[in-house]
Amino acid sequence: EVTPIEAIASGAVLKGTDSHFPFTWYLSVMEGQVARNWSPRETSSSVACALHFIIQRNGVVSQITLAQSSGDGAFDKEAIRAVQSTRLPQLPSEFGSNTLGVTMTFSPP
């Protein structure tokens, strides 16, 4: 499991959720899984992008959209690839919704 400090060092950081989601353990797992898939090519250290995506009840990630472009198309595509290749556990059964919207920011590690 990746600690938040390791996730920040990786450059893939949770920015927020669309609804109240008190399950911080799940968000830490999600952030760690995405961070493991995030390995952009060499680029300017000042670039960053933000992605919004939906986590389905079964843990499948869908509806990935570019919320804020870095201005570098290849960098943005790498961030999308990192999210697309992430496999997540199902949402906590105590969570009352079938989906969770998430926004993450991506910057060079």
Side-chain angles (χ1 to χ4, degrees):
E1 188 170 313
V2 174
T3 65
I5 289 156
E6 289 168 331
I8 289 166
S10 76
V13 181
L14 175 68
K15 190 172 180 183
T17 58
D18 292 354
S19 56
H20 177 66
F21 189 78
F23 308 97
T24 54
W25 64 268
Y26 186 92
L27 297 175
S28 291
V29 168
M30 186 249 343
E31 195 175 53
Q33 295 289 79
V34 173
R36 273 195 271 293
N37 294 327
W38 175 235
S39 56
R41 59 174 174 61
E42 288 298 313
T43 187
S44 162
S45 61
S46 62
V47 299
C49 70
L51 297 181
H52 181 270
F53 54 94
I54 303 295
I55 302 171
Q56 306 292 328
R57 166 68 58 198
N58 63 2
V60 171
V61 175
S62 65
Q63 300 177 40
I64 303 167
T65 56
L66 189 62
Q68 178 184 340
S69 175
S70 67
D72 179 337
F75 185 88
D76 294 348
K77 282 188 178 93
E78 280 297 310
I80 291 167
R81 185 205 56 74
V83 173
Q84 283 175 331
S85 59
T86 298
R87 300 291 166 253
L88 296 172
Q90 63 183 14
L91 290 172
S93 57
E94 304 84 8
F95 183 53
S97 177
N98 284 328
T99 60
L100 176 67
V102 174
T103 302
M104 287 188 78
T105 57
F106 294 82
S107 58

